[in-house]
Coordinates of all heavy atoms in Angstrom, one line a residue:
M1 N 56.5 39.7 -46.7 CA 56.3 38.3 -46.8 C 55.6 37.6 -45.7 O 55.0 36.6 -45.8 CB 57.7 37.6 -47.1 CG 58.2 37.7 -48.5 SD 57.0 37.1 -49.7 CE 57.3 35.4 -49.7
K2 N 55.8 38.2 -44.5 CA 55.2 37.6 -43.3 C 53.7 37.6 -43.4 O 53.0 36.7 -43.0 CB 55.7 38.4 -42.1 CG 55.9 37.5 -40.8 CD 56.4 38.4 -39.7 CE 56.7 37.4 -38.5 NZ 57.1 38.2 -37.3
N3 N 53.1 38.7 -44.0 CA 51.7 38.8 -44.1 C 51.1 37.6 -45.0 O 50.1 37.1 -44.7 CB 51.3 40.1 -44.7 CG 51.2 41.2 -43.7 OD1 51.1 40.9 -42.5 ND2 51.3 42.4 -44.1
V4 N 51.9 37.3 -46.0 CA 51.4 36.3 -46.9 C 51.3 34.9 -46.2 O 50.4 34.2 -46.3 CB 52.4 36.2 -48.2 CG1 52.0 35.0 -49.0 CG2 52.3 37.5 -48.9
L5 N 52.3 34.7 -45.4 CA 52.3 33.4 -44.6 C 51.2 33.3 -43.6 O 50.5 32.3 -43.5 CB 53.7 33.3 -43.8 CG 53.9 32.0 -43.1 CD1 54.2 30.9 -44.1 CD2 55.0 32.1 -42.1
I6 N 50.9 34.5 -43.0 CA 49.7 34.5 -42.1 C 48.4 34.2 -42.8 O 47.6 33.5 -42.4 CB 49.7 35.8 -41.3 CG1 50.9 35.8 -40.3 CG2 48.4 36.0 -40.5 CD1 51.2 37.2 -39.7
M7 N 48.3 34.8 -44.0 CA 47.1 34.6 -44.8 C 46.9 33.2 -45.1 O 45.8 32.6 -45.1 CB 47.2 35.5 -46.1 CG 46.8 36.9 -45.9 SD 45.0 37.1 -45.8 CE 44.5 36.8 -47.5
T8 N 48.0 32.6 -45.6 CA 48.0 31.2 -46.0 C 47.6 30.3 -44.8 O 46.7 29.4 -44.9 CB 49.3 30.7 -46.5 OG1 49.8 31.7 -47.5 CG2 49.2 29.4 -47.2
V9 N 48.1 30.5 -43.6 CA 47.8 29.7 -42.5 C 46.4 29.9 -42.1 O 45.7 28.9 -41.8 CB 48.8 30.1 -41.3 CG1 48.3 29.4 -40.0 CG2 50.2 29.7 -41.6
S10 N 45.9 31.1 -42.1 CA 44.5 31.3 -41.6 C 43.5 30.7 -42.7 O 42.5 30.2 -42.3 CB 44.2 32.8 -41.4 OG 44.5 33.5 -42.5
T11 N 43.9 30.8 -43.9 CA 43.0 30.2 -45.0 C 42.9 28.7 -44.8 O 41.9 28.1 -44.9 CB 43.6 30.5 -46.4 OG1 43.7 31.9 -46.5 CG2 42.6 30.1 -47.5
L12 N 44.1 28.1 -44.5 CA 44.1 26.6 -44.3 C 43.2 26.3 -43.1 O 42.5 25.3 -43.1 CB 45.5 26.2 -44.0 CG 46.4 25.9 -45.3 CD1 47.8 25.6 -44.9 CD2 45.8 24.7 -46.1
F13 N 43.4 27.1 -42.0 CA 42.6 26.8 -40.8 C 41.1 26.9 -41.1 O 40.3 26.1 -40.6 CB 43.0 27.8 -39.7 CG 42.3 27.6 -38.4 CD1 42.6 26.5 -37.6 CD2 41.3 28.5 -38.0 CE1 42.0 26.3 -36.4 CE2 40.6 28.3 -36.8 CZ 41.0 27.2 -36.0
I14 N 40.7 27.9 -41.8 CA 39.3 28.1 -42.1 C 38.7 27.0 -42.9 O 37.7 26.4 -42.6 CB 39.0 29.5 -42.8 CG1 39.3 30.6 -41.8 CG2 37.6 29.6 -43.4 CD1 39.5 32.0 -42.4
S15 N 39.5 26.6 -44.0 CA 39.0 25.5 -44.8 C 38.9 24.2 -44.1 O 38.0 23.4 -44.3 CB 39.8 25.4 -46.1 OG 41.1 25.3 -45.8
S16 N 39.9 23.9 -43.2 CA 39.8 22.6 -42.5 C 38.6 22.7 -41.5 O 38.0 21.7 -41.2 CB 41.1 22.4 -41.7 OG 41.3 23.3 -40.7
N17 N 38.3 23.9 -41.0 CA 37.2 24.0 -40.1 C 35.9 23.7 -40.8 O 35.0 23.1 -40.2 CB 37.2 25.5 -39.5 CG 36.8 25.5 -38.1 OD1 36.7 24.5 -37.4 ND2 36.4 26.7 -37.6
I18 N 35.8 24.2 -42.0 CA 34.5 24.0 -42.8 C 34.4 22.5 -43.1 O 33.3 22.0 -42.9 CB 34.6 24.8 -44.1 CG1 34.4 26.3 -43.8 CG2 33.5 24.4 -45.1 CD1 34.8 27.3 -44.9
T19 N 35.5 21.8 -43.4 CA 35.4 20.4 -43.7 C 34.9 19.7 -42.5 O 34.1 18.8 -42.6 CB 36.8 19.9 -44.1 OG1 37.3 20.8 -45.1 CG2 36.7 18.5 -44.7
A20 N 35.4 20.0 -41.3 CA 35.0 19.3 -40.1 C 33.5 19.6 -39.8 O 32.8 18.7 -39.4 CB 35.8 19.8 -38.9
Q21 N 33.0 20.8 -40.1 CA 31.6 21.0 -39.8 C 30.7 20.3 -40.8 O 29.6 19.8 -40.5 CB 31.3 22.5 -40.0 CG 31.7 23.3 -38.7 CD 31.5 24.8 -38.9 OE1 31.4 25.3 -40.0 NE2 31.5 25.5 -37.8
E22 N 31.2 20.1 -42.0 CA 30.4 19.4 -43.1 C 30.3 17.9 -42.8 O 29.4 17.2 -43.2 CB 31.0 19.6 -44.4 CG 30.5 21.0 -45.0 CD 31.2 21.3 -46.4 OE1 32.2 20.5 -46.7 OE2 30.8 22.2 -47.0
A23 N 31.3 17.4 -42.1 CA 31.4 15.9 -41.8 C 30.2 15.5 -40.9 O 29.7 14.4 -41.1 CB 32.7 15.5 -41.3
N24 N 29.8 16.3 -40.0 CA 28.8 15.9 -39.0 C 27.4 15.6 -39.6 O 26.9 14.5 -39.4 CB 28.7 16.9 -37.9 CG 29.8 16.7 -36.9 OD1 30.3 15.5 -36.7 ND2 30.2 17.7 -36.2
P25 N 26.9 16.5 -40.4 CA 25.6 16.2 -41.0 C 25.6 15.0 -41.9 O 24.6 14.3 -42.0 CB 25.2 17.5 -41.8 CG 26.3 18.4 -41.7 CD 27.3 17.9 -40.6
T26 N 26.7 14.8 -42.6 CA 26.8 13.6 -43.5 C 26.7 12.3 -42.7 O 26.1 11.4 -43.1 CB 28.2 13.7 -44.2 OG1 28.3 15.0 -44.8 CG2 28.2 12.7 -45.4
Q27 N 27.4 12.3 -41.5 CA 27.3 11.1 -40.7 C 25.9 10.9 -40.2 O 25.4 9.8 -40.1 CB 28.3 11.2 -39.5 CG 29.7 10.9 -39.9 CD 30.7 11.1 -38.8 OE1 30.4 11.7 -37.8 NE2 31.8 10.5 -38.9
K28 N 25.2 12.0 -39.9 CA 23.8 11.8 -39.4 C 22.9 11.3 -40.5 O 22.1 10.4 -40.3 CB 23.3 13.2 -39.0 CG 23.6 13.5 -37.5 CD 23.0 14.9 -37.1 CE 23.5 15.3 -35.8 NZ 23.1 16.6 -35.4
D29 N 23.1 11.7 -41.8 CA 22.4 11.2 -42.9 C 22.6 9.7 -43.1 O 21.7 9.0 -43.4 CB 22.8 12.0 -44.2 CG 22.2 13.4 -44.2 OD1 21.3 13.7 -43.4 OD2 22.6 14.2 -45.1
K30 N 23.8 9.3 -42.9 CA 24.1 7.9 -43.1 C 23.4 7.1 -42.1 O 22.9 6.0 -42.3 CB 25.7 7.6 -42.9 CG 26.4 7.8 -44.3 CD 27.9 7.4 -44.1 CE 28.6 7.5 -45.4 NZ 30.1 7.2 -45.2
K31 N 23.4 7.6 -40.8 CA 22.7 6.8 -39.8 C 21.2 6.7 -40.1 O 20.5 5.7 -39.8 CB 22.9 7.5 -38.4 CG 24.2 7.1 -37.8 CD 24.3 7.6 -36.4 CE 25.7 7.2 -35.8 NZ 25.9 7.9 -34.5
A32 N 20.6 7.8 -40.6 CA 19.2 7.9 -40.9 C 18.9 6.9 -42.1 O 17.9 6.2 -42.0 CB 18.8 9.3 -41.4
A33 N 19.8 6.8 -43.0 CA 19.6 5.8 -44.1 C 19.7 4.4 -43.6 O 19.0 3.5 -44.1 CB 20.7 6.1 -45.2
E34 N 20.6 4.1 -42.7 CA 20.7 2.8 -42.1 C 19.4 2.4 -41.4 O 18.9 1.3 -41.5 CB 21.8 2.7 -41.1 CG 23.2 2.5 -41.8 CD 24.3 2.6 -40.9 OE1 24.2 2.6 -39.7 OE2 25.4 2.8 -41.4
K35 N 18.8 3.3 -40.7 CA 17.5 3.1 -40.0 C 16.4 2.8 -41.0 O 15.6 2.0 -40.8 CB 17.1 4.3 -39.2 CG 17.7 4.2 -37.8 CD 17.1 5.3 -36.9 CE 17.7 5.3 -35.5 NZ 17.2 6.4 -34.7
E36 N 16.5 3.5 -42.1 CA 15.4 3.4 -43.1 C 15.4 2.0 -43.8 O 14.3 1.5 -44.2 CB 15.6 4.4 -44.2 CG 14.3 4.9 -44.8 CD 14.5 5.9 -45.9 OE1 15.5 5.8 -46.6 OE2 13.7 6.8 -46.1
T37 N 16.5 1.3 -43.9 CA 16.6 0.0 -44.6 C 16.4 -1.2 -43.6 O 16.7 -2.3 -44.0 CB 17.9 -0.1 -45.3 OG1 19.0 0.1 -44.4 CG2 18.0 0.9 -46.5
K38 N 15.9 -0.9 -42.4 CA 15.8 -2.0 -41.5 C 14.7 -2.9 -41.7 O 14.7 -4.0 -41.2 CB 15.8 -1.4 -40.0 CG 17.2 -1.3 -39.4 CD 17.1 -1.0 -38.0 CE 18.5 -1.0 -37.3 NZ 18.4 -0.7 -35.9
L39 N 13.6 -2.5 -42.4 CA 12.5 -3.4 -42.6 C 12.8 -4.6 -43.4 O 13.6 -4.5 -44.4 CB 11.3 -2.6 -43.2 CG 10.4 -1.9 -42.2 CD1 9.3 -1.1 -42.9 CD2 9.8 -2.8 -41.2
E40 N 12.1 -5.7 -43.2 CA 12.4 -6.9 -43.9 C 11.2 -7.3 -44.7 O 10.0 -7.3 -44.2 CB 12.8 -8.0 -43.0 CG 13.4 -9.2 -43.7 CD 13.9 -10.3 -42.7 OE1 14.8 -10.1 -42.0 OE2 13.2 -11.3 -42.6
D41 N 11.4 -7.7 -45.9 CA 10.3 -8.2 -46.8 C 10.0 -9.6 -46.2 O 10.8 -10.5 -46.1 CB 10.9 -8.4 -48.2 CG 9.9 -8.9 -49.2 OD1 9.0 -9.7 -48.8 OD2 10.0 -8.5 -50.4
P42 N 8.7 -9.8 -45.7 CA 8.4 -11.1 -45.0 C 8.4 -12.2 -46.0 O 8.4 -13.4 -45.6 CB 7.0 -10.8 -44.4 CG 6.5 -9.6 -45.2 CD 7.6 -8.8 -45.7
V43 N 8.3 -12.0 -47.3 CA 8.2 -13.1 -48.3 C 9.6 -13.6 -48.6 O 9.9 -14.8 -48.5 CB 7.5 -12.6 -49.5 CG1 7.4 -13.7 -50.6 CG2 6.0 -12.1 -49.1
C44 N 10.5 -12.7 -49.1 CA 11.8 -13.2 -49.5 C 12.9 -12.8 -48.5 O 14.1 -13.1 -48.7 CB 12.1 -12.6 -50.9 SG 12.4 -10.9 -50.9
H45 N 12.6 -12.1 -47.4 CA 13.5 -11.7 -46.4 C 14.6 -10.7 -46.8 O 15.7 -10.7 -46.3 CB 14.1 -12.9 -45.7 CG 13.1 -13.8 -45.1 ND1 12.3 -13.5 -44.0 CD2 12.6 -15.0 -45.5 CE1 11.5 -14.5 -43.8 NE2 11.6 -15.4 -44.7
M46 N 14.3 -10.0 -47.9 CA 15.2 -9.0 -48.3 C 15.0 -7.7 -47.5 O 13.9 -7.5 -47.0 CB 14.9 -8.6 -49.8 CG 16.0 -8.7 -50.8 SD 15.4 -8.3 -52.4 CE 15.7 -6.5 -52.4
K47 N 16.1 -6.9 -47.3 CA 15.9 -5.7 -46.5 C 15.3 -4.6 -47.5 O 15.8 -4.5 -48.6 CB 17.3 -5.2 -46.1 CG 18.0 -6.1 -45.1 CD 17.3 -6.2 -43.7 CE 18.0 -7.2 -42.8 NZ 17.1 -7.6 -41.7
V48 N 14.2 -4.0 -47.0 CA 13.6 -3.0 -47.8 C 13.4 -1.7 -47.1 O 13.4 -1.7 -45.8 CB 12.2 -3.5 -48.3 CG1 12.3 -4.5 -49.4 CG2 11.4 -4.0 -47.1
K49 N 13.4 -0.6 -47.8 CA 13.2 0.7 -47.2 C 11.9 0.9 -46.6 O 10.9 0.5 -47.2 CB 13.5 1.8 -48.3 CG 14.9 2.0 -48.6 CD 15.1 3.1 -49.7 CE 16.5 3.2 -50.1 NZ 16.7 4.2 -51.1
K50 N 11.9 1.5 -45.5 CA 10.6 1.8 -44.8 C 9.7 2.7 -45.6 O 8.5 2.7 -45.5 CB 10.9 2.4 -43.4 CG 9.8 2.3 -42.4 CD 10.1 2.9 -41.1 CE 9.0 2.7 -40.1 NZ 9.3 3.3 -38.8
S51 N 10.4 3.6 -46.4 CA 9.6 4.6 -47.2 C 9.2 4.0 -48.5 O 8.8 4.7 -49.4 CB 10.5 5.8 -47.4 OG 11.7 5.5 -48.0
G52 N 9.4 2.7 -48.7 CA 9.1 2.0 -50.0 C 7.6 2.1 -50.3 O 6.8 2.3 -49.4
K53 N 7.2 2.1 -51.6 CA 5.8 2.3 -51.9 C 5.0 1.0 -51.9 O 3.8 1.1 -51.9 CB 5.8 3.0 -53.3 CG 6.1 4.4 -53.3 CD 6.2 5.0 -54.7 CE 6.6 6.5 -54.6 NZ 6.9 7.0 -56.0
I54 N 5.7 -0.1 -52.0 CA 5.0 -1.4 -52.0 C 4.8 -1.9 -50.6 O 5.7 -2.5 -50.0 CB 5.8 -2.4 -52.9 CG1 6.2 -1.8 -54.2 CG2 5.0 -3.7 -53.0 CD1 7.2 -2.6 -55.0
T55 N 3.6 -1.6 -50.1 CA 3.3 -2.0 -48.7 C 1.9 -2.7 -48.7 O 1.1 -2.5 -49.5 CB 3.3 -0.8 -47.8 OG1 2.4 0.1 -48.2 CG2 4.7 -0.2 -47.7
A56 N 1.7 -3.4 -47.6 CA 0.4 -4.0 -47.4 C 0.1 -4.0 -45.9 O 1.0 -4.3 -45.1 CB 0.3 -5.4 -48.0
K57 N -1.2 -3.8 -45.5 CA -1.5 -3.8 -44.1 C -2.2 -5.1 -43.8 O -3.1 -5.6 -44.5 CB -2.4 -2.6 -43.7 CG -1.6 -1.4 -43.3 CD -2.4 -0.4 -42.5 CE -1.6 0.7 -41.9 NZ -2.3 1.6 -41.2
H58 N -1.8 -5.7 -42.7 CA -2.4 -7.0 -42.2 C -2.6 -6.9 -40.7 O -1.6 -6.8 -40.0 CB -1.6 -8.2 -42.7 CG -2.2 -9.5 -42.2 ND1 -3.4 -10.0 -42.7 CD2 -1.8 -10.3 -41.3 CE1 -3.6 -11.1 -42.1 NE2 -2.7 -11.4 -41.2
K59 N -3.8 -7.0 -40.2 CA -4.1 -6.9 -38.8 C -3.5 -5.7 -38.2 O -2.9 -5.8 -37.1 CB -3.7 -8.2 -38.1 CG -4.6 -9.4 -38.5 CD -4.1 -10.7 -37.8 CE -5.0 -11.8 -38.3 NZ -4.5 -13.1 -37.8
G60 N -3.6 -4.5 -38.9 CA -3.0 -3.3 -38.3 C -1.6 -3.1 -38.4 O -1.0 -2.0 -38.1
V61 N -0.8 -4.1 -38.9 CA 0.6 -3.9 -39.1 C 0.9 -3.7 -40.6 O 0.4 -4.5 -41.4 CB 1.4 -5.2 -38.6 CG1 2.9 -5.0 -38.7 CG2 1.0 -5.4 -37.1
E62 N 1.8 -2.8 -40.8 CA 2.2 -2.5 -42.2 C 3.5 -3.2 -42.6 O 4.4 -3.2 -41.9 CB 2.4 -1.0 -42.4 CG 2.4 -0.6 -43.9 CD 2.3 0.9 -44.1 OE1 3.3 1.6 -43.8 OE2 1.2 1.4 -44.6
Y63 N 3.4 -3.9 -43.7 CA 4.6 -4.7 -44.2 C 5.1 -4.1 -45.5 O 4.3 -3.6 -46.3 CB 4.2 -6.1 -44.4 CG 3.8 -6.8 -43.1 CD1 2.5 -6.9 -42.7 CD2 4.8 -7.4 -42.3 CE1 2.1 -7.5 -41.5 CE2 4.4 -8.1 -41.1 CZ 3.0 -8.1 -40.7 OH 2.7 -8.7 -39.6
S64 N 6.4 -4.1 -45.7 CA 7.0 -3.5 -46.9 C 7.5 -4.7 -47.7 O 8.0 -5.7 -47.2 CB 8.1 -2.5 -46.6 OG 7.5 -1.4 -46.0
F65 N 7.5 -4.5 -49.1 CA 8.0 -5.5 -50.0 C 8.9 -5.0 -51.0 O 8.8 -3.8 -51.4 CB 6.8 -6.2 -50.6 CG 5.7 -6.7 -49.7 CD1 4.7 -5.9 -49.3 CD2 5.9 -7.9 -49.1 CE1 3.8 -6.3 -48.3 CE2 5.0 -8.4 -48.1 CZ 3.9 -7.6 -47.7
C66 N 9.8 -5.9 -51.5 CA 10.7 -5.5 -52.5 C 10.1 -5.3 -53.9 O 10.6 -4.6 -54.7 CB 11.9 -6.5 -52.6 SG 11.5 -8.1 -53.2
S67 N 9.0 -6.1 -54.1 CA 8.4 -6.1 -55.4 C 6.9 -6.4 -55.3 O 6.4 -6.9 -54.3 CB 9.0 -7.1 -56.4 OG 8.8 -8.4 -55.8
E68 N 6.1 -6.1 -56.4 CA 4.7 -6.3 -56.4 C 4.4 -7.8 -56.3 O 3.4 -8.2 -55.6 CB 4.1 -5.8 -57.7 CG 4.0 -4.2 -57.7 CD 2.9 -3.7 -56.8 OE1 2.0 -4.5 -56.3 OE2 2.9 -2.5 -56.5
S69 N 5.3 -8.7 -56.8 CA 5.0 -10.1 -56.8 C 5.1 -10.6 -55.3 O 4.4 -11.5 -54.9 CB 5.9 -10.9 -57.7 OG 7.3 -10.7 -57.3
C70 N 6.1 -10.1 -54.6 CA 6.2 -10.5 -53.2 C 4.9 -10.0 -52.4 O 4.4 -10.7 -51.6 CB 7.4 -9.9 -52.5 SG 8.9 -10.8 -52.8
K71 N 4.5 -8.8 -52.7 CA 3.3 -8.3 -52.0 C 2.1 -9.2 -52.4 O 1.3 -9.5 -51.5 CB 3.0 -6.8 -52.5 CG 1.8 -6.2 -51.8 CD 1.5 -4.9 -52.5 CE 0.1 -4.4 -52.0 NZ -0.2 -3.1 -52.6
E72 N 1.9 -9.6 -53.6 CA 0.8 -10.4 -54.0 C 0.8 -11.7 -53.2 O -0.2 -12.2 -52.8 CB 0.9 -10.7 -55.5 CG 0.2 -9.6 -56.3 CD 0.3 -9.8 -57.8 OE1 0.3 -10.9 -58.3 OE2 0.5 -8.8 -58.5
S73 N 2.0 -12.3 -53.1 CA 2.1 -13.6 -52.4 C 1.7 -13.5 -51.0 O 1.0 -14.3 -50.4 CB 3.6 -14.1 -52.4 OG 4.0 -14.2 -53.8
F74 N 2.1 -12.3 -50.4 CA 1.8 -12.1 -49.0 C 0.3 -11.8 -48.8 O -0.3 -12.4 -47.9 CB 2.5 -10.8 -48.5 CG 2.2 -10.5 -47.0 CD1 2.9 -11.1 -46.0 CD2 1.3 -9.5 -46.7 CE1 2.6 -10.8 -44.7 CE2 1.0 -9.1 -45.4 CZ 1.7 -9.8 -44.4
V75 N -0.3 -11.1 -49.7 CA -1.7 -10.7 -49.5 C -2.6 -12.0 -49.7 O -3.6 -12.2 -49.0 CB -2.1 -9.7 -50.6 CG1 -3.6 -9.5 -50.7 CG2 -1.5 -8.3 -50.2
K76 N -2.2 -12.9 -50.6 CA -2.9 -14.1 -50.8 C -2.9 -15.1 -49.6 O -3.8 -15.8 -49.3 CB -2.3 -14.9 -52.0 CG -2.8 -14.4 -53.3 CD -2.1 -15.1 -54.5 CE -2.3 -14.4 -55.8 NZ -1.4 -14.9 -56.8
N77 N -1.8 -15.1 -48.9 CA -1.6 -16.0 -47.7 C -0.7 -15.4 -46.7 O 0.4 -15.8 -46.4 CB -1.0 -17.3 -48.2 CG -1.3 -18.4 -47.2 OD1 -1.8 -18.2 -46.1 ND2 -0.8 -19.6 -47.5
P78 N -1.2 -14.3 -46.0 CA -0.4 -13.6 -45.0 C 0.2 -14.4 -43.9 O 1.3 -14.3 -43.5 CB -1.3 -12.5 -44.5 CG -2.5 -12.4 -45.3 CD -2.6 -13.8 -46.0
D79 N -0.7 -15.4 -43.4 CA -0.3 -16.2 -42.2 C 1.0 -17.0 -42.5 O 1.7 -17.4 -41.6 CB -1.4 -17.0 -41.7 CG -2.6 -16.2 -41.2 OD1 -2.2 -15.1 -40.6 OD2 -3.7 -16.5 -41.3
K80 N 1.1 -17.4 -43.8 CA 2.3 -18.2 -44.1 C 3.6 -17.5 -43.9 O 4.6 -18.1 -43.6 CB 2.1 -18.5 -45.6 CG 3.2 -19.5 -46.1 CD 3.0 -19.7 -47.6 CE 4.1 -20.5 -48.2 NZ 4.0 -20.6 -49.7
Y81 N 3.6 -16.1 -44.0 CA 4.8 -15.4 -43.9 C 5.0 -14.6 -42.6 O 6.1 -14.1 -42.3 CB 4.8 -14.3 -45.1 CG 4.7 -15.0 -46.4 CD1 3.6 -14.9 -47.2 CD2 5.8 -15.7 -47.0 CE1 3.5 -15.5 -48.4 CE2 5.7 -16.3 -48.2 CZ 4.5 -16.2 -48.9 OH 4.4 -16.8 -50.1
I82 N 4.0 -14.6 -41.8 CA 4.1 -13.9 -40.5 C 4.6 -14.8 -39.4 O 4.1 -15.9 -39.2 CB 2.8 -13.3 -40.1 CG1 2.4 -12.2 -41.1 CG2 2.9 -12.7 -38.7 CD1 1.0 -11.7 -40.9
K83 N 5.7 -14.4 -38.7 CA 6.2 -15.2 -37.6 C 5.3 -15.1 -36.4 O 4.9 -14.1 -36.0 CB 7.6 -14.7 -37.3 CG 8.7 -15.0 -38.3 CD 9.9 -14.2 -38.0 CE 10.9 -14.2 -39.2 NZ 12.0 -13.3 -39.1
K84 N 5.0 -16.3 -35.9 CA 4.1 -16.3 -34.7 C 4.9 -16.5 -33.4 O 5.9 -17.1 -33.4 CB 3.0 -17.3 -34.9 CG 2.0 -16.8 -35.9 CD 1.0 -17.9 -36.2 CE 0.0 -17.4 -37.3 NZ -0.9 -18.4 -37.7
Ligands
ZN1 ZN1 10.6 -9.7 -51.8

């Protein structure tokens, strides 16, 4: 019976060890996701993903937008939305 107890304890130890190792990359992913959402739509001031597909370049700076309509408004009158 002693062997069974040792087996159970070591199994518990191994599985808790695996859980601890898995927790670290998950936290890194969350931090990366937070960084990705830091860009702001200059038209409606919504937070948008940096990897978003709706972007426009103005004077060498790339801006991201939540929707095509926001992008259109910006392209028509960029100076209205850029902070000086
Ligand atoms: Zn927008």
Side-chain angles (χ1 to χ4, degrees):
M1 277 309 277
K2 218 178 184 184
N3 276 342
V4 175
L5 187 70
I6 289 164
M7 275 286 286
T8 312
V9 170
S10 57
T11 306
L12 276 171
F13 180 75
I14 290 164
S15 51
S16 65
N17 217 14
I18 289 168
T19 312
Q21 281 178 342
E22 279 176 348
N24 280 331
T26 311
Q27 280 179 340
K28 275 183 187 174
D29 285 348
K30 270 187 183 176
K31 277 185 181 175
E34 277 170 18
K35 271 187 181 177
E36 212 185 31
T37 52
K38 266 191 175 177
L39 272 180
E40 194 180 287
D41 183 328
V43 178
C44 68
H45 303 289
M46 236 178 89
K47 298 288 178 202
V48 286
K49 283 181 183 176
K50 202 179 180 180
S51 57
K53 282 173 185 173
I54 308 164
T55 60
K57 267 198 174 182
H58 178 70
K59 290 178 181 173
V61 183
E62 197 169 69
Y63 298 91
S64 290
F65 306 93
C66 68
S67 65
E68 286 288 346
S69 62
C70 277
K71 182 189 166 181
E72 272 175 39
S73 305
F74 179 82
V75 170
K76 278 177 193 166
N77 197 359
D79 292 327
K80 188 183 168 186
Y81 301 106
I82 295 169
K83 289 167 192 169
K84 283 176 184 174

